[in-house]
Amino acid sequence: MTRRFRVSAFPGFLRARLERRDEDHIWLPMALGLGLIASLSFLVAVFRIEGSVQDDARMFLSWMGRWDDPDVLKGDLVADYWYSVSPWFYRGVYRAAWLLGVKPLVFVKILPALLFPPIAFFSYRLLRAMQADPLAAFFVTVFILHVMVRHEIVVSGTPRAFWPLLLLIGLDGLARSKILQVALAQLLMAGVYPQAALVMAAVIGMTAFTPWRSPLVDFSRRQLALIAIAAVATVVGVAPFLLRANQFGPVFTLAEARNIPTFLYEQRGAVFEPDGSVDLLCQKRIGIFAAECSGLLDPRLALLVLVNFAGPIFLFARMFRPGPPFGSRSPLPLFLLVSSLMCAALSAAVMFRLHVPNRYASVLRLLPYLATLPVLFDWIRSRLSPQALIERYHGRTLLIGTCIVMTVCVLAVSIVHTSNKSPANRELISAIRALPKDAVVGGFVDDLDFSPVLTQRSTLFGRELSVAYEKGYYQPVYRRMEIVRDIVLATDAIVLLDRMQYLPIDCLIVAKETLVHPRVPTSFRGFFGADLLDMETQAAQNGPTLVARLAQGCTTGVYRDVVMLSMRCLLQEATHDLDRQRTRGAINKDRSAAAAASTDPSLVGSTPAPSTTQP
């Protein structure tokens, strides 16, 4: 009887929830609950595989081993560079966690879980400040959480993990005229993701433009105070980047990038198309809609333009609607869109000097959900009467339907993408970790991307660590690659000995396949030009490479498909090999001279001169 009463009473309960537009005490806790579900799901997924680390976080964590032991990674190029590009707020958060006893390799897995609930909270608050009703705010928050748990933004554990939350906090502060909230968000965003802070700074300035009311431009004290305080916060947050002594600058220019293989199509840092053009819309690394479309003729591009422009324009147009507010309305999404495109265009005009365009367009990732989706919900609600819904379906059907919808919401935020990776050759990583603190390793092996963060040993280079942006970093790294390439392809001891004087390295790590067939592995080939194939062909024609010939006597360990070689041993053996070559060369020269003398016609039949020495 009680069960029947509850089921029969459900339609009335559902109707009240659909009709009420002020029940934040129901929908906000539900949104926070989904944020907690996302956090728990992420923690379960990320700690499931021991020894894994977020893909892009490997670079930013590469230097943090110095906190545990100041003697490791001293003077290391890779660690020094990634320390220099780690924003001050990002370093501060990880440092605070370390002081509390949480290691960076652990905290990088916890960080996204800490961000999901506040993202849910401020998403809901912002949407409510934009006049969205609680139900719409709840469902849009679900979509935003879904994007956050599935895309490599928050889950990356890198500086970009912070900008969605800080952007939402700043926009919520603008929508509610909270000056200190806006200033704090700007300060922290400038300290962790300056590009998003610059976009937001322009949005703050645009809020003085109020064409839907008089005056056209708001010069009130509060508005001027908002702009001034936010500007100060932005400058203070960006100042450490501007004042730091940059030992790795300047950045490459677009003209210089055309002559560097890694910038070419489908390579590690590709910015060019196959025909040499630059796609500022769809290209993966620099495009505004990074990798979400494939050119001007792609229908997806038209859809992206529609979903990013329609919502902001509708919400802005509604600001001019007279009478009491009905449905979502706000100028902020349009200001955000315009500011983002302006900053991206400026970045494209001075490519690399202000980083790349998609750094400024990254905020477009949230725009369809903050603007277009609320407009769509308003349209649906205007045509779907709760009364008609209740009258059409029975209580049991409505209950089942509601349960299905809530289940979908839970699944949307709980099926997470962790972006975690683990070294394929754990034995190799353990062997490197066992080396002395000052040991230096290098070679064309993919797992060396994990070496700095998991072993705290100096590593010459890694594929993912070799980012081509600032000359002072990439050029020395590329020179190291060239030297290692020449060493593994050398058939003459002179070449190896010559290259070794420019490369401080203790252990050379080589794939077994490279010892058999002198060839740079596929994942590193894109760093070199077309002459690489000629060098490999010549090395194959000249017989086994010197490293292949000396490997057996200089091997310090074999770990699956790679071999660790002692460079001191290789150097000694190469020196002995060169001495043997010289000795053989001298003997052959003497033999040739003797043979030439024995066949000289002028010397045939001659007698030696009489001796003048007295007995």
Side-chain angles (χ1 to χ4, degrees):
M1 190 72 176
T2 303
R3 180 182 177 185
R4 288 182 181 178
F5 172 76
R6 289 177 179 173
V7 173
S8 62
F10 182 75
F13 172 82
L14 180 62
R15 177 181 176 179
R17 302 292 77 74
L18 295 178
E19 290 180 342
R20 294 288 296 272
R21 297 177 181 270
D22 58 354
E23 293 190 324
D24 292 322
H25 66 282
I26 293 178
W27 298 107
L28 178 56
M30 290 177 63
L32 285 173
L34 290 179
L36 290 173
I37 291 174
S39 297
L40 293 175
S41 300
F42 181 81
L43 290 174
V44 170
V46 81
F47 281 103
R48 183 178 300 167
I49 303 176
E50 185 179 355
S52 63
V53 61
Q54 277 91 321
D55 187 9
D56 289 345
R58 291 179 294 183
M59 300 175 282
F60 290 96
L61 303 183
S62 60
W63 57 272
M64 293 185 186
R66 293 170 171 173
W67 289 338
D68 292 318
D69 188 346
D71 292 330
V72 301
L73 301 171
K74 277 189 174 180
D76 181 68
L77 173 67
V78 174
D80 287 345
Y81 176 73
W82 288 105
Y83 170 81
S84 73
V85 297
S86 296
W88 62 265
F89 179 64
Y90 182 78
R91 295 199 305 262
V93 170
Y94 275 81
R95 178 73 172 181
W98 179 80
L99 291 173
L100 294 174
V102 184
K103 302 291 187 181
L105 278 172
V106 176
F107 185 69
V108 73
K109 299 179 179 181
I110 298 175
L111 175 62
L114 297 177
L115 295 175
F116 290 139
I119 284 175
F121 177 76
F122 282 101
S123 295
Y124 184 92
R125 271 179 57 95
L126 172 60
L127 289 159
R128 291 290 287 133
M130 292 166 53
Q131 306 299 325
D133 64 60
L135 179 62
F138 169 77
F139 280 110
V140 172
T141 300
V142 173
F143 276 92
I144 291 175
L145 281 174
H146 174 71
V147 172
M148 294 298 101
V149 301
R150 294 297 301 169
H151 292 271
E152 294 189 18
I153 304 174
V154 176
V155 301
S156 69
T158 63
R160 69 173 178 266
F162 291 89
W163 75 254
L165 173 60
L166 296 175
L167 180 70
L168 292 170
I169 294 174
L171 291 174
D172 178 67
L174 283 178
R176 300 173 184 272
S177 299
K178 302 289 186 180
I179 295 178
L180 293 181
Q181 180 178 328
V182 174
L184 179 61
Q186 272 298 96
L187 174 66
L188 299 183
M189 189 152 48
V192 72
Y193 208 78
Q195 294 82 12
L198 294 177
V199 171
M200 189 61 181
V203 172
I204 295 170
M206 291 179 187
T207 57
F209 179 61
T210 56
W212 57 88
R213 69 185 182 207
S214 182
L216 181 65
V217 180
D218 184 1
F219 288 112
S220 65
R221 289 185 178 180
R222 187 171 185 81
Q223 182 65 38
L224 294 177
L226 169 65
I227 295 175
I229 295 174
V232 170
T234 305
V235 171
V236 171
V238 174
F241 298 98
L242 301 177
L243 298 177
R244 69 184 175 96
N246 187 5
Q247 66 189 90
F248 299 103
V251 299
F252 288 102
T253 65
L254 192 62
E256 291 171 333
R258 292 186 180 277
N259 300 315
I260 301 175
T262 190
F263 284 108
L264 302 183
Y265 183 65
E266 289 188 342
Q267 302 307 329
R268 167 68 177 85
V271 298
F272 297 106
E273 295 300 297
D275 60 357
S277 63
V278 178
D279 184 358
L280 295 175
L281 291 176
C282 303
Q283 205 274 339
K284 181 178 180 180
R285 186 181 180 195
I286 65 174
I288 292 174
F289 302 113
E292 295 186 10
C293 52
S294 58
L296 289 175
L297 300 180
D298 188 348
R300 291 177 298 174
L301 178 59
L303 180 61
L304 287 168
V305 172
L306 176 64
V307 299
N308 279 281
F309 281 75
I313 292 174
F314 270 103
L315 294 181
F316 185 78
R318 285 180 176 178
M319 296 298 297
F320 296 86
R321 182 183 296 174
F326 174 77
S328 305
R329 59 171 62 191
S330 175
L332 295 179
L334 184 61
F335 291 162
L336 187 63
L337 174 64
V338 173
S339 174
S340 177
L341 295 179
M342 287 173 53
C343 292
L346 179 61
S347 173
V350 292
M351 187 70 76
F352 300 131
R353 295 178 186 176
L354 294 175
H355 223 287
V356 291
N358 72 357
R359 286 292 187 99
Y360 299 90
S362 57
V363 297
L364 299 182
R365 182 78 69 176
L366 292 180
L367 202 56
Y369 306 99
L370 292 176
T372 306
L373 203 55
V375 172
L376 181 60
F377 268 102
D378 289 341
W379 181 82
I380 294 174
R381 291 206 62 168
S382 67
R383 284 157 178 77
L384 183 62
S385 168
Q387 179 64 31
L389 186 67
I390 300 303
E391 293 177 352
R392 183 173 181 179
Y393 298 102
H394 298 291
R396 188 183 300 275
T397 304
L398 293 172
L399 179 60
I400 293 174
T402 302
C403 291
I404 292 174
V405 170
M406 296 308 299
T407 301
V408 171
C409 291
V410 171
L411 291 176
V413 302
S414 59
I415 302 177
V416 301
H417 170 69
T418 64
S419 79
N420 272 33
K421 289 189 176 182
S422 302
N425 195 334
R426 294 178 182 270
E427 293 86 350
L428 174 64
I429 297 300
S430 298
I432 296 175
R433 191 185 299 115
L435 294 173
K437 293 180 182 180
D438 58 348
V440 181
V441 300
F444 295 119
V445 176
D446 290 336
D447 278 341
L448 289 184
D449 283 325
F450 294 91
S451 177
V453 64
L454 295 182
T455 71
Q456 286 82 54
R457 299 297 180 266
S458 292
T459 306
L460 293 180
F461 56 81
R463 185 182 186 277
E464 296 302 318
L465 297 170
S466 304
V467 175
Y469 180 63
E470 293 184 286
K471 295 180 183 179
Y473 174 66
Y474 183 72
Q475 288 177 342
V477 165
Y478 180 68
R479 179 55 182 156
R480 292 176 171 186
M481 288 186 180
E482 287 184 315
I483 293 175
V484 173
R485 175 202 62 190
D486 293 346
I487 290 175
V488 298
L489 297 181
T491 56
D492 192 333
I494 294 179
V495 175
L496 187 145
L497 294 172
D498 176 72
R499 300 301 186 271
M500 276 299 300
Q501 63 181 320
Y502 303 106
L503 191 68
I505 179 174
D506 298 295
C507 295
L508 178 67
I509 303 173
V510 186
K512 291 181 180 179
E513 180 67 18
T514 303
L515 297 177
V516 177
H517 303 289
R519 181 179 174 85
V520 173
T522 303
S523 56
F524 289 89
R525 299 184 67 80
F527 290 99
F528 303 104
D531 59 339
L532 176 62
L533 184 59
D534 295 334
M535 298 175 66
E536 292 171 337
T537 301
Q538 184 177 359
Q541 291 174 349
N542 292 339
T545 63
L546 183 64
V547 171
R549 297 199 306 267
L550 303 179
Q552 184 174 359
C554 294
T555 297
T556 61
V558 179
Y559 311 98
R560 297 187 184 181
D561 57 346
V562 299
V563 179
M564 183 183 291
L565 305 175
S566 167
M567 285 306 299
R568 177 177 295 181
C569 173
L570 287 177
L571 186 61
Q572 293 174 347
E573 293 300 321
T575 303
H576 295 160
D577 186 79
L578 182 60
D579 291 340
R580 288 192 293 269
Q581 288 182 21
R582 289 173 175 172
T583 301
R584 286 196 299 268
I587 294 174
N588 291 337
K589 183 177 180 180
D590 291 341
R591 288 176 178 175
S592 298
S598 65
T599 57
D600 191 341
S602 63
L603 299 179
V604 176
S606 61
T607 57
S611 175
T612 58
T613 304
Q614 297 296 325

